[in-house]
Amino acid sequence: MRVEIWSDIACPWCYVGKARFEKALGAFPHRDQVEVVHRSFELDPHRAKDDVQPVLTMLAKKYGMSEAQAQAGEKNLGAQAAAEGLDYRTSGRDHGNTFDMHRLLHFAKEQGRQDRLIQILYRANFAEERSLFTEGDERLVELAVEAGLDAEGVRTVLADSAAYADSVRADEREAAELGANGVPFFVLDRKYGVSGAQPAEVFTQALTQAWGERPPLKLIEDGGAEACGPDGCAVPQN
């Protein structure tokens, strides 16, 4: 079974939702037969790469609230994250364009390092003092290397703005086609969708239901062709 997760590194509920989903997945009896794929979704796709703002300023402007209200919301998010065992800085964070991070996540997928990289990027954005947005490409290189990627390969991707750009845009178009206008958005076997950072119990129910409704394998008759089994291999008879 495949679970696809549309998310953005700048999305705090994606950070929390991933932890809740993984709690459910970790207890799922068929965990080893579930493939998880991360898909791209930018919350702020039109923001220029050099346009970086404090999170509280961005939230106040975007939602028409005071910075005090934005701070209260961040404290609530911090409490929700802490309940999932996650570190979360409720002040001093900044916000910027995440397109290059999504390009790197597609590169990491080819190397089998996608899940590791997205978790490191979440941690860097929500829990660490250093900025993901103001230190240039070398900050992303450092984090990608921590995820097990080759530094020069990462630099090559970052230097070419077209690298994996089509893959990011394709994910975003697909999200729109599926009706996802916010993240996190979880799609199970292209049959069920779960929107938002739901409690782990909801993910458990979704996994169980999707697994139980998988169609049985339809066997095309082999016409007596030779095969190997637990008792050995068929011996050709002349």
Side-chain angles (χ1 to χ4, degrees):
M1 183 167 70
R2 170 180 281 199
V3 178
E4 297 162 277
I5 307 174
W6 272 264
S7 59
D8 191 9
I9 302 304
C11 165
W13 289 117
C14 297
Y15 179 46
V16 173
K18 183 176 187 293
R20 291 175 177 172
F21 170 75
E22 288 179 346
K23 182 183 292 184
L25 185 61
F28 187 57
H30 309 288
R31 167 66 185 93
D32 292 342
Q33 298 177 66
V34 178
E35 177 192 12
V36 178
V37 178
H38 296 281
R39 300 293 191 191
S40 299
F41 188 107
E42 295 172 277
L43 291 173
D44 206 351
H46 304 297
R47 180 177 290 270
K49 186 174 180 178
D50 60 355
D51 183 5
V52 180
Q53 280 185 304
V55 165
L56 296 181
T57 302
M58 180 274 295
L59 290 173
K61 182 178 179 180
K62 184 173 183 178
Y63 297 107
M65 62 174 69
S66 68
E67 289 204 8
Q69 289 173 313
Q71 181 66 76
E74 283 292 283
K75 287 182 178 179
N76 175 57
L77 271 163
Q80 300 260 7
E84 305 302 330
L86 302 172
D87 292 328
Y88 189 99
R89 296 178 66 232
T90 59
S91 62
R93 294 192 303 106
D94 56 14
H95 174 81
N97 182 290
T98 58
F99 186 62
D100 284 347
M101 298 173 208
H102 286 291
R103 295 195 301 112
L104 282 181
L105 285 166
H106 279 277
F107 174 63
K109 182 176 182 292
E110 294 181 346
Q111 315 300 316
R113 299 286 180 174
Q114 189 187 48
D115 189 74
R116 176 66 176 147
L117 178 59
I118 198 169
Q119 191 60 38
I120 287 172
L121 291 173
Y122 278 143
R123 183 203 71 205
N125 188 43
F126 293 108
E128 296 182 357
E129 290 188 14
R130 293 176 61 190
S131 173
L132 269 180
F133 305 103
T134 61
E135 294 191 27
D137 288 351
E138 283 306 302
R139 174 66 168 145
L140 294 181
V141 172
E142 174 190 328
L143 294 169
V145 168
E146 182 182 343
L149 296 172
D150 173 70
E152 288 310 309
V154 172
R155 290 189 181 98
T156 298
V157 171
L158 291 173
D160 179 6
S161 61
Y164 301 97
D166 289 346
S167 298
V168 175
R169 299 306 182 208
D171 277 359
E172 294 173 338
R173 285 194 301 272
E174 197 163 13
E177 291 166 3
L178 290 170
N181 52 20
V183 285
F185 189 71
F186 302 77
V187 176
L188 291 77
D189 260 358
R190 288 300 170 110
K191 190 172 183 179
Y192 293 101
V194 179
S195 181
Q198 299 287 347
E201 293 79 11
V202 174
F203 290 119
T204 297
Q205 180 182 357
L207 287 165
T208 302
Q209 186 169 347
W211 182 268
E213 295 185 13
R214 298 174 76 221
L217 182 69
K218 293 182 180 179
L219 180 64
I220 298 174
E221 294 297 332
D222 60 14
E226 293 83 2
C228 295
D231 297 325
C233 297
V235 178
Q237 301 295 320
N238 294 325

